[in-house]
Amino acid sequence: MNYIVFVTGAPYGTQNSVTAYLFVKSVFLLHHYVKKIFFYSSGVYNANSMIFPSLDEFNILHAWIRLKKKYSCKLCVCPSSSYRRGVLSNKSAIKYGCLQGNFSSHFQWMSSSEMAFNIHHGDRIVQF
């Protein structure tokens, strides 16, 4: 079974992101496949490379990266949602007068129209 997962909750302050992570991890452990994980709305904060929780707290950014490396899933972020929330690539940040961006290199940009096209190739869509 192929899943597409939408994450719309911020990494901290809501359970959406952590619940999505645990769901995706469970899907892989059950030998199913997650085609794409799409971060939209406040979910784009998950791609912010400048998130530094306390050492005794769960680091959701590092968890997403480990999941990507272990299972080769794609972490996709909506660019328009990101720009509205200040999550920028280095190129965009320089364009807007900042020294550097805060977009994690482990994520990739994917527009909502591209995501809509990909939905047709998934068996299930789950939103958190």
Side-chain angles (χ1 to χ4, degrees):
M1 179 121 6
N2 290 324
Y3 289 86
I4 294 175
V5 177
F6 280 85
V7 181
T8 58
Y12 297 100
T14 68
Q15 267 315 110
N16 299 50
S17 185
V18 173
T19 304
Y21 166 77
L22 293 172
F23 174 80
V24 170
K25 190 173 175 183
S26 298
V27 167
F28 283 123
L29 291 174
L30 292 170
H31 305 290
H32 294 289
Y33 183 69
V34 176
K35 191 170 184 85
K36 300 220 183 332
I37 303 167
F38 187 66
F39 297 90
Y40 184 75
S41 189
S42 294
V44 300
Y45 289 123
N46 286 275
N48 184 346
S49 64
M50 294 186 185
I51 294 176
F52 298 105
S54 298
L55 293 175
D56 60 341
E57 290 181 23
F58 180 68
N59 189 323
I60 190 66
L61 175 62
H62 290 166
W64 285 122
I65 293 168
R66 280 192 309 273
L67 200 70
K68 176 191 176 186
K69 288 179 179 177
K70 185 171 183 176
Y71 297 107
S72 299
C73 57
K74 294 186 179 181
L75 305 174
C76 305
V77 179
C78 175
S80 58
S81 289
S82 294
Y83 294 159
R84 274 188 229 110
R85 289 166 177 82
V87 179
L88 304 170
S89 65
N90 285 333
K91 184 178 178 181
S92 297
I94 291 168
K95 178 181 171 184
Y96 294 116
C98 300
L99 295 176
Q100 74 178 42
N102 56 348
F103 183 72
S104 173
S105 62
H106 298 281
F107 291 74
Q108 66 185 49
W109 299 117
M110 178 177 278
S111 69
S112 52
S113 60
E114 287 177 275
M115 193 62 210
F117 176 77
N118 281 283
I119 287 173
H120 294 289
H121 302 291
D123 297 319
R124 298 281 187 270
I125 302 166
V126 183
Q127 180 181 346
F128 294 92

